[in-house]
Amino acid sequence: MSAIVSEFKIRPMQGGFGAEVIGLDLSEELSRSKFERIERAWFDASFLIFRDMAMTPRQHIDFTCRFGPLHIMTPLHYNHPDHPEVMVLTNLEDAGKPLGIRRAGMGWHSDGEDKRIPNAASMLYAHVVPPEGGDTLFADMYAAYAALPEATKRLIAGRRTRFSRIDMHHVHYPHEPALTEQQKRERPDVFHPLVRTHPRTGRKSLYVGRWARDIEGMNADEGRSLIEELFTYAASGRFVYRHKWGAHDAVLWDNRCTLHCATPFDESRYTRLMHRTTLEGDIPV
Ligand code: SIN
């Protein structure tokens, strides 16, 4: 092994879903060879954990954009005031004004699944974490697809799901204002394949999420109950890793082959402050 590659370690987690990167400082610029090693490990593991990082928002942006162009989340007012590429997720307020989005991502989803071009990846960095609760769950959608019974694979092959922000916004964000007519026009319903092929690894994964409503070519009830069934199956313990955050952990996940889900914590007692960068993606096929 060369001196360059021995400088940090990548420890795959049990079962190969997820890996921990040990001994890498993300505040420093990465050489091309180090970056390529990280990227390969990320494609193999679907998410990477970096513990105890000291990263400024600028360094967080600089690291993430090595993987591709960054996406600026809307509405813009939840983004970092000096760095619009960084979305702030927090229950903190200043004089009654939220300093970021609250209760984001509670429900299994992949980022941007309700958009025509969903986001390829996201990197969440923990600034302040509660002593209990506020974990993030990740589900391995390659493994979920691979383990489906052959009859289910045949049933879902070639089918598309309708994802709808318009139908589901009030369900997932009851504490946020209703969508305006302009926002509805900007986020129309979209159709994505139930089984997608990762553009870089060529592997197939199951593609459902909390904005999925029904399935093209099936009546609404039938489609909805199949989505429920697939969801319950994918979120069952065997495909899931629970990340208990330590302050200054960062997790980089691939939205094309994983689902994730934020979990609650006692907001009246504790603070949670996270920064997220998000990558542009591709149309699922
Ligand atoms: C997200 O869905 O991006 C946020 C997950 C979390 O805050 O745990």
Side-chain angles (χ1 to χ4, degrees), residues 87 89 104-107 109 111 122 124 134-138 173 210 245 253 260-263 272 274 276:
M87 180 169 72
L89 298 83
M106 293 202 175
H109 67 288
D111 297 323
S122 309
L124 193 62
D135 304 340
T136 308
L137 310 175
F138 294 92
Y173 289 97
R210 66 178 173 162
W245 292 92
W253 65 81
H260 61 280
C261 177
T263 62
R272 188 174 189 263
M274 318 289 278
R276 196 185 88 190

Side-chain angles (χ1 to χ4, degrees), residues 199-220:
R200 298 290 298 275
T201 66
R203 296 176 66 195
K204 284 184 177 178
S205 63
L206 185 60
Y207 197 57
V208 283
R210 66 178 173 162
W211 305 98
R213 292 294 282 149
D214 37 46
I215 298 177
E216 214 175 28
M218 287 185 172
N219 77 43

